[in-house]
Coordinates of all heavy atoms in Angstrom, one line a residue:
M1 N 0.8 -1.2 0.0 CA 0.0 0.0 0.0 C 0.9 1.2 0.0 O 1.9 1.3 0.7 CB -0.9 0.0 1.2 CG -1.7 1.3 1.3 SD -3.1 1.2 2.4 CE -3.9 -0.3 2.0
I2 N 0.5 2.2 -0.8 CA 1.2 3.5 -0.9 C 0.2 4.6 -0.8 O -1.0 4.4 -1.0 CB 2.1 3.6 -2.1 CG1 1.2 3.7 -3.4 CG2 3.1 2.5 -2.3 CD1 1.9 4.2 -4.6
R3 N 0.7 5.8 -0.4 CA -0.1 7.0 -0.4 C 0.7 8.1 -1.1 O 1.9 8.3 -0.8 CB -0.4 7.4 1.0 CG -1.4 8.6 1.1 CD -1.7 8.9 2.6 NE -2.7 9.9 2.7 CZ -4.0 9.7 2.9 NH1 -4.4 8.5 3.0 NH2 -4.8 10.7 3.0
V4 N 0.1 8.9 -1.9 CA 0.7 10.1 -2.5 C -0.2 11.3 -2.4 O -1.4 11.2 -2.3 CB 1.1 9.9 -4.0 CG1 2.1 8.7 -4.1 CG2 -0.1 9.7 -4.9
Q5 N 0.4 12.5 -2.4 CA -0.3 13.7 -2.6 C 0.0 14.2 -4.0 O 1.2 14.2 -4.4 CB 0.2 14.8 -1.6 CG -0.5 16.1 -1.8 CD 0.3 17.2 -1.1 OE1 1.4 17.4 -1.3 NE2 -0.5 18.0 -0.3
A6 N -1.0 14.6 -4.7 CA -0.8 15.2 -6.0 C -1.5 16.6 -6.0 O -2.6 16.7 -5.6 CB -1.5 14.3 -7.1
V7 N -0.8 17.6 -6.5 CA -1.3 18.9 -6.6 C -1.4 19.2 -8.2 O -0.4 19.2 -8.9 CB -0.4 20.0 -5.9 CG1 -1.0 21.4 -6.2 CG2 -0.4 19.7 -4.4
V8 N -2.6 19.4 -8.6 CA -2.9 19.6 -10.0 C -3.1 21.1 -10.3 O -4.0 21.7 -9.7 CB -4.1 18.8 -10.4 CG1 -4.4 18.8 -11.9 CG2 -4.0 17.3 -10.0
T9 N -2.4 21.6 -11.3 CA -2.5 23.0 -11.6 C -3.0 23.1 -13.1 O -2.9 22.2 -13.9 CB -1.2 23.8 -11.4 OG1 -0.2 23.2 -12.2 CG2 -0.8 23.8 -10.0
G10 N -3.5 24.3 -13.4 CA -4.1 24.6 -14.7 C -5.5 25.1 -14.5 O -5.9 25.6 -13.5
A11 N -6.3 24.9 -15.5 CA -7.8 25.2 -15.5 C -8.5 24.0 -14.9 O -9.0 23.2 -15.6 CB -8.3 25.6 -16.8
V12 N -8.4 23.9 -13.6 CA -8.9 22.6 -12.9 C -10.0 22.9 -11.9 O -10.5 21.9 -11.3 CB -7.7 21.8 -12.3 CG1 -6.8 21.3 -13.4 CG2 -7.0 22.7 -11.3
Q13 N -10.4 24.1 -11.6 CA -11.5 24.4 -10.7 C -12.7 24.9 -11.6 O -12.5 25.5 -12.6 CB -11.1 25.4 -9.7 CG -10.1 24.9 -8.7 CD -10.0 25.8 -7.5 OE1 -10.7 26.7 -7.2 NE2 -8.9 25.5 -6.7
G14 N -13.9 24.5 -11.1 CA -15.1 24.9 -11.9 C -15.4 24.1 -13.1 O -16.2 24.5 -13.9
V15 N -14.7 23.0 -13.2 CA -14.9 22.1 -14.4 C -15.3 20.7 -14.0 O -15.2 19.8 -14.8 CB -13.6 22.1 -15.3 CG1 -13.3 23.4 -15.8 CG2 -12.4 21.5 -14.5
G16 N -15.7 20.5 -12.7 CA -16.1 19.1 -12.3 C -14.9 18.2 -11.9 O -15.1 17.0 -11.8
F17 N -13.8 18.8 -11.7 CA -12.6 18.0 -11.5 C -12.7 17.1 -10.2 O -12.4 15.9 -10.3 CB -11.3 18.9 -11.4 CG -10.0 18.2 -11.7 CD1 -9.4 18.3 -12.9 CD2 -9.4 17.4 -10.7 CE1 -8.2 17.7 -13.2 CE2 -8.2 16.7 -11.0 CZ -7.7 16.9 -12.3
R18 N -13.2 17.7 -9.2 CA -13.2 16.9 -7.9 C -14.2 15.8 -8.0 O -13.9 14.7 -7.6 CB -13.6 17.8 -6.7 CG -12.6 18.9 -6.4 CD -13.1 19.8 -5.3 NE -14.2 20.6 -5.8 CZ -15.1 21.2 -5.0 NH1 -14.9 21.2 -3.7 NH2 -16.1 21.8 -5.5
W19 N -15.4 16.0 -8.6 CA -16.4 14.9 -8.7 C -15.9 13.8 -9.7 O -16.1 12.7 -9.4 CB -17.7 15.5 -9.1 CG -18.1 16.6 -8.1 CD1 -18.0 17.9 -8.2 CD2 -18.5 16.3 -6.7 NE1 -18.4 18.6 -7.0 CE2 -18.7 17.6 -6.1 CE3 -18.8 15.2 -6.0 CZ2 -19.1 17.8 -4.8 CZ3 -19.2 15.4 -4.7 CH2 -19.3 16.6 -4.1
A20 N -15.3 14.2 -10.7 CA -14.8 13.2 -11.7 C -13.6 12.4 -11.0 O -13.5 11.2 -11.3 CB -14.3 13.9 -13.0
T21 N -12.8 13.1 -10.2 CA -11.7 12.4 -9.5 C -12.3 11.4 -8.5 O -11.8 10.2 -8.4 CB -10.8 13.4 -8.7 OG1 -10.3 14.3 -9.7 CG2 -9.7 12.7 -8.0
R22 N -13.4 11.8 -7.8 CA -14.0 10.8 -6.9 C -14.6 9.6 -7.7 O -14.4 8.5 -7.2 CB -15.2 11.5 -6.2 CG -15.7 10.6 -5.1 CD -16.8 11.3 -4.3 NE -18.1 11.0 -4.8 CZ -19.2 11.5 -4.4 NH1 -19.2 12.3 -3.4 NH2 -20.3 11.1 -4.9
R23 N -15.2 9.8 -8.8 CA -15.7 8.7 -9.6 C -14.6 7.8 -10.0 O -14.7 6.5 -10.0 CB -16.5 9.2 -10.8 CG -17.9 9.6 -10.5 CD -18.7 9.9 -11.8 NE -18.1 10.8 -12.7 CZ -18.3 12.2 -12.6 NH1 -19.0 12.7 -11.6 NH2 -17.7 13.0 -13.5
E24 N -13.5 8.3 -10.5 CA -12.3 7.5 -11.0 C -11.7 6.8 -9.8 O -11.3 5.6 -9.9 CB -11.3 8.4 -11.7 CG -10.2 7.7 -12.3 CD -10.6 6.9 -13.5 OE1 -11.8 7.0 -14.0 OE2 -9.8 6.1 -14.0
A25 N -11.6 7.4 -8.6 CA -11.1 6.8 -7.4 C -11.9 5.6 -7.0 O -11.4 4.5 -6.7 CB -10.9 7.8 -6.3
A26 N -13.2 5.7 -7.1 CA -14.1 4.6 -6.8 C -13.9 3.5 -7.8 O -13.9 2.3 -7.4 CB -15.6 5.1 -6.8
R27 N -13.8 3.8 -9.0 CA -13.6 2.8 -10.1 C -12.3 2.0 -9.8 O -12.3 0.8 -10.0 CB -13.5 3.4 -11.4 CG -13.5 2.4 -12.6 CD -13.3 3.1 -13.9 NE -12.0 3.6 -14.1 CZ -10.9 2.9 -14.5 NH1 -11.0 1.6 -14.6 NH2 -9.7 3.5 -14.7
L28 N -11.3 2.7 -9.3 CA -10.0 2.1 -9.0 C -9.9 1.5 -7.6 O -8.9 0.9 -7.3 CB -8.8 3.1 -9.3 CG -8.7 3.5 -10.7 CD1 -7.7 4.8 -10.8 CD2 -8.2 2.4 -11.6
A29 N -10.9 1.7 -6.8 CA -10.9 1.2 -5.4 C -9.7 1.7 -4.6 O -9.1 1.0 -3.9 CB -11.0 -0.3 -5.4
V30 N -9.5 3.0 -4.7 CA -8.5 3.7 -3.9 C -9.2 4.6 -2.9 O -10.3 5.0 -3.0 CB -7.4 4.5 -4.7 CG1 -6.6 3.5 -5.6 CG2 -8.1 5.5 -5.6
A31 N -8.4 5.0 -1.8 CA -9.0 5.8 -0.8 C -8.3 7.2 -0.8 O -7.2 7.3 -1.3 CB -8.8 5.1 0.6
G32 N -8.9 8.1 -0.1 CA -8.3 9.4 0.1 C -9.3 10.5 -0.1 O -10.5 10.4 0.3
F33 N -8.8 11.7 -0.6 CA -9.7 12.9 -0.7 C -9.2 13.7 -1.8 O -8.1 13.6 -2.3 CB -9.8 13.7 0.6 CG -8.5 14.3 1.0 CD1 -8.2 15.6 0.5 CD2 -7.6 13.8 1.8 CE1 -7.0 16.2 0.8 CE2 -6.4 14.4 2.2 CZ -6.1 15.6 1.7
V34 N -10.1 14.6 -2.3 CA -9.8 15.7 -3.2 C -10.4 17.0 -2.8 O -11.5 17.0 -2.2 CB -10.3 15.3 -4.7 CG1 -11.8 15.1 -4.7 CG2 -9.9 16.3 -5.7
R35 N -9.7 18.1 -3.0 CA -10.2 19.4 -2.6 C -9.6 20.5 -3.4 O -8.5 20.4 -3.9 CB -10.0 19.7 -1.1 CG -8.6 19.8 -0.7 CD -8.5 20.1 0.8 NE -7.1 19.9 1.3 CZ -6.8 19.8 2.5 NH1 -7.7 19.8 3.5 NH2 -5.5 19.7 2.9
N36 N -10.4 21.6 -3.6 CA -9.8 22.8 -4.2 C -8.9 23.5 -3.2 O -9.2 23.5 -2.0 CB -11.0 23.7 -4.6 CG -11.7 23.2 -5.8 OD1 -11.2 22.4 -6.6 ND2 -12.9 23.8 -6.0
R37 N -7.9 24.2 -3.8 CA -7.0 25.0 -2.9 C -7.2 26.5 -3.3 O -7.6 26.8 -4.4 CB -5.6 24.6 -3.1 CG -5.3 23.2 -2.5 CD -4.0 22.5 -2.9 NE -2.9 23.4 -3.0 CZ -1.6 23.1 -2.6 NH1 -1.4 22.0 -2.0 NH2 -0.6 23.9 -2.8
P38 N -6.9 27.4 -2.4 CA -7.1 28.8 -2.7 C -6.3 29.3 -3.9 O -6.8 30.3 -4.5 CB -6.7 29.5 -1.4 CG -6.7 28.5 -0.3 CD -6.5 27.1 -1.0
D39 N -5.2 28.7 -4.2 CA -4.4 29.2 -5.3 C -4.9 28.7 -6.7 O -4.3 29.0 -7.7 CB -3.0 28.8 -5.2 CG -2.8 27.2 -5.2 OD1 -3.7 26.5 -5.4 OD2 -1.6 26.8 -5.0
G40 N -6.1 28.1 -6.7 CA -6.7 27.6 -8.0 C -6.3 26.2 -8.4 O -6.8 25.7 -9.4
S41 N -5.5 25.6 -7.6 CA -5.1 24.2 -7.9 C -6.1 23.2 -7.2 O -6.9 23.6 -6.4 CB -3.7 23.9 -7.4 OG -3.6 24.0 -6.0
V42 N -5.9 22.0 -7.5 CA -6.7 20.9 -6.8 C -5.7 20.0 -6.2 O -4.7 19.6 -6.8 CB -7.6 20.1 -7.9 CG1 -8.2 18.9 -7.2 CG2 -8.7 21.0 -8.4
E43 N -5.9 19.6 -4.9 CA -5.1 18.7 -4.1 C -5.8 17.4 -4.0 O -7.0 17.3 -3.7 CB -4.8 19.3 -2.8 CG -4.1 18.4 -1.8 CD -3.9 18.9 -0.4 OE1 -4.5 20.0 -0.2 OE2 -3.3 18.3 0.4
V44 N -5.0 16.3 -4.3 CA -5.6 15.0 -4.1 C -4.6 14.2 -3.3 O -3.4 14.2 -3.5 CB -5.7 14.3 -5.5 CG1 -6.2 12.9 -5.4 CG2 -6.5 15.1 -6.5
E45 N -5.1 13.5 -2.3 CA -4.3 12.5 -1.5 C -5.0 11.2 -1.8 O -6.2 11.0 -1.6 CB -4.2 12.8 0.0 CG -3.2 13.9 0.2 CD -2.6 13.8 1.6 OE1 -2.7 12.8 2.3 OE2 -2.1 14.9 2.0
V46 N -4.2 10.2 -2.2 CA -4.8 8.9 -2.6 C -3.9 7.8 -2.1 O -2.7 7.9 -2.0 CB -4.9 8.8 -4.2 CG1 -3.6 9.0 -4.9 CG2 -5.5 7.5 -4.6
E47 N -4.6 6.7 -1.6 CA -3.9 5.6 -1.0 C -4.5 4.3 -1.5 O -5.7 4.2 -1.7 CB -4.1 5.7 0.6 CG -3.5 4.6 1.4 CD -3.6 4.9 2.9 OE1 -3.4 6.1 3.3 OE2 -4.0 4.0 3.6
G48 N -3.6 3.3 -1.7 CA -4.1 2.0 -2.1 C -3.0 1.2 -2.8 O -1.8 1.5 -2.6
D49 N -3.4 0.3 -3.6 CA -2.5 -0.6 -4.3 C -1.6 0.3 -5.2 O -2.2 1.2 -5.9 CB -3.4 -1.6 -5.2 CG -2.5 -2.4 -6.1 OD1 -1.9 -3.3 -5.6 OD2 -2.4 -2.0 -7.3
P50 N -0.3 0.1 -5.3 CA 0.5 0.9 -6.1 C 0.1 1.1 -7.6 O 0.2 2.2 -8.1 CB 1.9 0.3 -6.0 CG 1.9 -0.5 -4.7 CD 0.4 -0.9 -4.5
D51 N -0.4 0.0 -8.2 CA -0.8 0.1 -9.6 C -2.1 1.0 -9.7 O -2.1 1.8 -10.6 CB -1.2 -1.3 -10.1 CG 0.1 -2.2 -10.4 OD1 1.2 -1.6 -10.5 OD2 -0.1 -3.4 -10.4
A52 N -3.0 0.8 -8.8 CA -4.2 1.7 -8.8 C -3.9 3.1 -8.6 O -4.4 4.0 -9.2 CB -5.2 1.1 -7.8
V53 N -3.0 3.4 -7.6 CA -2.6 4.8 -7.3 C -1.9 5.4 -8.5 O -2.2 6.5 -8.9 CB -1.7 4.8 -6.1 CG1 -1.1 6.2 -5.9 CG2 -2.5 4.5 -4.8
G54 N -1.1 4.6 -9.2 CA -0.4 5.1 -10.4 C -1.4 5.4 -11.5 O -1.3 6.3 -12.2
Q55 N -2.4 4.5 -11.6 CA -3.5 4.8 -12.7 C -4.2 6.1 -12.4 O -4.5 6.8 -13.3 CB -4.4 3.6 -12.7 CG -3.9 2.4 -13.4 CD -4.9 1.2 -13.4 OE1 -6.0 1.4 -13.9 NE2 -4.5 0.1 -12.8
L56 N -4.5 6.3 -11.1 CA -5.2 7.6 -10.8 C -4.3 8.8 -11.1 O -4.8 9.8 -11.6 CB -5.7 7.6 -9.3 CG -6.5 8.9 -9.0 CD1 -7.8 8.9 -9.8 CD2 -6.8 8.9 -7.5
V57 N -3.1 8.7 -10.7 CA -2.1 9.8 -11.0 C -2.1 10.1 -12.5 O -2.1 11.2 -13.0 CB -0.7 9.5 -10.4 CG1 0.3 10.5 -10.9 CG2 -0.8 9.6 -8.9
R58 N -2.0 9.0 -13.3 CA -2.0 9.2 -14.8 C -3.3 9.8 -15.2 O -3.3 10.7 -16.1 CB -1.7 7.9 -15.5 CG -0.3 7.5 -15.4 CD 0.1 6.3 -16.2 NE -0.6 5.0 -15.8 CZ -0.2 4.3 -14.8 NH1 0.8 4.6 -14.1 NH2 -0.9 3.2 -14.5
W59 N -4.4 9.4 -14.6 CA -5.7 10.1 -15.0 C -5.7 11.5 -14.7 O -6.2 12.4 -15.4 CB -6.8 9.3 -14.3 CG -8.2 9.9 -14.6 CD1 -9.0 9.5 -15.7 CD2 -8.9 11.0 -13.9 NE1 -10.1 10.3 -15.7 CE2 -10.1 11.2 -14.6 CE3 -8.6 11.8 -12.8 CZ2 -11.0 12.2 -14.2 CZ3 -9.5 12.7 -12.4 CH2 -10.7 12.9 -13.1
L60 N -5.1 11.9 -13.5 CA -5.0 13.3 -13.1 C -4.3 14.2 -14.1 O -4.6 15.4 -14.2 CB -4.4 13.4 -11.7 CG -5.1 12.9 -10.5 CD1 -4.2 12.9 -9.3 CD2 -6.4 13.6 -10.3
E61 N -3.4 13.6 -14.9 CA -2.6 14.3 -15.9 C -3.5 14.8 -17.0 O -3.1 15.8 -17.7 CB -1.5 13.5 -16.4 CG -0.4 13.2 -15.3 CD 0.6 12.2 -15.7 OE1 0.5 11.6 -16.8 OE2 1.6 12.0 -14.9
K62 N -4.7 14.2 -17.2 CA -5.6 14.7 -18.2 C -6.9 15.3 -17.5 O -7.4 16.3 -18.0 CB -6.0 13.6 -19.1 CG -4.9 13.1 -20.0 CD -5.2 12.0 -20.9 CE -4.0 11.6 -21.7 NZ -4.3 10.5 -22.6
G63 N -7.4 14.6 -16.5 CA -8.6 15.0 -15.8 C -9.8 14.9 -16.7 O -9.8 14.2 -17.7
P64 N -10.9 15.5 -16.2 CA -12.2 15.4 -17.0 C -12.1 16.2 -18.3 O -11.2 17.0 -18.4 CB -13.2 15.9 -16.0 CG -12.5 16.8 -15.1 CD -11.1 16.2 -15.0
P65 N -13.0 16.0 -19.2 CA -12.9 16.7 -20.5 C -12.8 18.2 -20.5 O -12.0 18.8 -21.3 CB -14.2 16.3 -21.2 CG -14.6 15.0 -20.6 CD -14.1 15.1 -19.1
A66 N -13.4 18.9 -19.5 CA -13.4 20.4 -19.5 C -12.1 20.9 -18.9 O -11.8 22.1 -19.0 CB -14.6 20.9 -18.8
A67 N -11.3 20.1 -18.2 CA -10.1 20.5 -17.5 C -9.0 20.7 -18.5 O -8.9 20.1 -19.6 CB -9.7 19.5 -16.5
Q68 N -8.1 21.6 -18.1 CA -6.9 21.9 -18.9 C -5.7 21.8 -17.9 O -5.3 22.8 -17.2 CB -6.9 23.2 -19.6 CG -7.9 23.3 -20.7 CD -7.9 24.7 -21.3 OE1 -7.2 25.6 -21.0 NE2 -8.9 24.8 -22.3
V69 N -5.2 20.6 -17.7 CA -4.1 20.3 -16.7 C -2.8 20.8 -17.3 O -2.4 20.5 -18.4 CB -4.1 18.8 -16.4 CG1 -2.9 18.5 -15.4 CG2 -5.4 18.3 -15.8
R70 N -2.2 21.6 -16.5 CA -0.8 22.1 -16.8 C 0.3 21.3 -16.2 O 1.3 20.9 -16.8 CB -0.7 23.6 -16.4 CG 0.7 24.2 -16.8 CD 0.8 25.6 -16.6 NE -0.4 26.3 -16.0 CZ -0.4 26.9 -14.9 NH1 0.7 27.1 -14.1 NH2 -1.5 27.5 -14.4
R71 N 0.1 20.9 -14.9 CA 1.1 20.2 -14.2 C 0.5 19.3 -13.0 O -0.5 19.8 -12.5 CB 2.1 21.2 -13.6 CG 3.2 20.6 -12.9 CD 4.3 21.7 -12.5 NE 5.4 21.1 -11.8 CZ 5.9 21.6 -10.7 NH1 5.5 22.7 -10.3 NH2 6.9 21.0 -10.1
V72 N 1.1 18.2 -12.7 CA 0.8 17.4 -11.6 C 2.0 17.2 -10.8 O 3.0 16.5 -11.3 CB 0.1 16.1 -12.0 CG1 -0.2 15.3 -10.7 CG2 -1.1 16.3 -12.8
Q73 N 2.1 17.7 -9.6 CA 3.2 17.6 -8.7 C 2.9 16.5 -7.7 O 1.9 16.6 -7.0 CB 3.5 18.9 -7.9 CG 4.5 18.8 -6.8 CD 6.0 18.6 -7.4 OE1 6.3 19.3 -8.4 NE2 6.8 17.8 -6.8
V74 N 3.7 15.4 -7.7 CA 3.4 14.2 -6.9 C 4.5 14.0 -5.8 O 5.6 14.1 -6.1 CB 3.2 12.9 -7.7 CG1 2.9 11.7 -6.8 CG2 2.2 13.1 -8.8
D75 N 4.0 13.9 -4.6 CA 4.9 13.6 -3.4 C 4.4 12.4 -2.6 O 3.2 12.3 -2.4 CB 5.0 14.8 -2.5 CG 5.7 16.0 -3.2 OD1 6.8 15.9 -3.7 OD2 5.0 17.1 -3.3
G76 N 5.3 11.6 -2.1 CA 5.0 10.5 -1.3 C 4.5 10.9 0.1 O 5.0 11.9 0.6
R77 N 3.6 10.1 0.7 CA 3.1 10.4 2.0 C 3.1 9.0 2.7 O 2.9 8.0 2.0 CB 1.7 11.0 2.0 CG 1.6 12.3 1.4 CD 2.1 13.4 2.4 NE 1.9 14.7 2.0 CZ 2.8 15.5 1.4 NH1 4.0 15.0 1.1 NH2 2.6 16.7 1.0
P78 N 3.1 9.0 4.0 CA 3.0 7.7 4.7 C 1.6 7.2 4.6 O 0.6 8.0 4.8 CB 3.4 8.0 6.2 CG 3.9 9.4 6.2 CD 3.5 10.1 4.9
P79 N 1.3 5.9 4.4 CA 0.0 5.4 4.3 C -0.7 5.5 5.7 O -0.1 5.5 6.7 CB 0.2 3.9 4.0 CG 1.5 3.8 3.4 CD 2.3 4.9 4.0
Q80 N -2.0 5.8 5.7 CA -2.8 6.0 6.9 C -3.9 5.0 7.1 O -4.6 5.1 8.1 CB -3.4 7.5 6.9 CG -2.3 8.5 6.8 CD -3.0 9.9 6.6 OE1 -4.2 10.1 6.6 NE2 -2.1 10.9 6.5
G81 N -4.0 4.1 6.2 CA -5.1 3.1 6.4 C -6.5 3.7 6.1 O -7.5 3.2 6.6
T82 N -6.5 4.8 5.3 CA -7.8 5.4 5.0 C -8.7 4.5 4.2 O -8.2 3.7 3.4 CB -7.5 6.7 4.2 OG1 -6.6 7.5 4.9 CG2 -8.7 7.5 3.8
T83 N -10.0 4.7 4.4 CA -11.0 4.0 3.6 C -11.9 5.0 3.0 O -12.2 6.1 3.6 CB -11.8 3.0 4.5 OG1 -12.5 3.7 5.5 CG2 -10.9 1.9 5.1
G84 N -12.4 4.7 1.9 CA -13.3 5.6 1.2 C -12.6 6.8 0.5 O -11.4 7.0 0.8
F85 N -13.3 7.4 -0.4 CA -12.7 8.6 -1.1 C -13.7 9.7 -1.1 O -14.9 9.4 -1.4 CB -12.3 8.2 -2.5 CG -11.4 9.3 -3.2 CD1 -10.1 9.1 -3.1 CD2 -12.0 10.4 -3.8 CE1 -9.2 10.1 -3.7 CE2 -11.2 11.3 -4.3 CZ -9.8 11.2 -4.3
E86 N -13.4 10.9 -0.6 CA -14.3 11.9 -0.5 C -13.9 13.2 -1.1 O -12.7 13.5 -1.2 CB -14.7 12.1 0.9 CG -13.6 12.5 1.9 CD -14.0 12.5 3.3 OE1 -15.2 12.9 3.6 OE2 -13.3 12.2 4.2
V87 N -14.9 14.0 -1.5 CA -14.6 15.4 -1.8 C -14.8 16.2 -0.5 O -15.8 16.1 0.1 CB -15.7 15.9 -2.9 CG1 -15.5 17.4 -3.1 CG2 -15.6 15.1 -4.1
V88 N -13.7 16.9 -0.1 CA -13.8 17.7 1.1 C -13.9 19.2 0.8 O -13.6 19.6 -0.3 CB -12.6 17.4 2.0 CG1 -12.5 15.9 2.5 CG2 -11.3 17.7 1.4
E89 N -14.2 19.9 1.8 CA -14.3 21.4 1.7 C -13.0 22.0 1.2 O -12.0 21.4 1.5 CB -14.8 22.0 3.0 CG -16.2 21.7 3.4 CD -17.2 22.1 2.4 OE1 -17.2 23.2 1.9 OE2 -18.1 21.3 2.1
D90 N -13.1 23.1 0.6 CA -11.9 23.7 0.1 C -10.9 24.0 1.2 O -11.3 24.2 2.3 CB -12.2 25.1 -0.6 CG -13.2 24.9 -1.8 OD1 -13.4 23.7 -2.2 OD2 -13.6 25.9 -2.3
A91 N -9.6 23.9 0.8 CA -8.5 24.1 1.8 C -8.5 25.6 2.2 O -8.9 26.4 1.6 CB -7.2 23.7 1.2

């Protein structure tokens, strides 16, 4: 099990990015959260099987159809045993 934090920049707020991320996370059976940040980016923390986490990170590089992803910065985090994936209030 691994956990990563991904910060996605570009035109990623107001385009359904968080809800699409939640659907993709459910499909991949990974845990964590997604939220908007005040600087206009979207933050995702995801935990689970390394292959599934990698698939979600690759999905974040494109995002939903209306998004225009410029960059995804990924950093490792210690696994927390999180279950479920949620959209949380803005940071």
Side-chain angles (χ1 to χ4, degrees):
M1 176 164 312
I2 65 167
R3 184 179 187 97
V4 300
Q5 176 198 52
V7 177
V8 185
T9 57
V12 294
Q13 289 191 14
V15 296
F17 203 100
R18 293 176 299 162
W19 303 102
T21 301
R22 188 176 95 180
R23 282 191 301 274
E24 188 67 11
R27 186 183 74 77
L28 294 168
V30 293
F33 68 86
V34 58
R35 67 180 167 196
N36 287 340
R37 292 169 33 142
D39 64 3
S41 65
V42 171
E43 176 184 2
V44 181
E45 283 206 18
V46 59
E47 179 173 315
D49 174 78
D51 288 337
V53 170
Q55 287 180 54
L56 184 65
V57 169
R58 285 189 295 280
W59 181 89
L60 292 172
E61 293 171 354
K62 293 182 181 174
Q68 295 177 2
V69 176
R70 184 172 357 121
R71 181 172 180 223
V72 179
Q73 172 74 39
V74 179
D75 294 302
R77 295 283 187 262
Q80 299 177 1
T82 304
T83 59
F85 194 94
E86 60 185 325
V87 176
V88 297
E89 292 300 314
D90 299 352

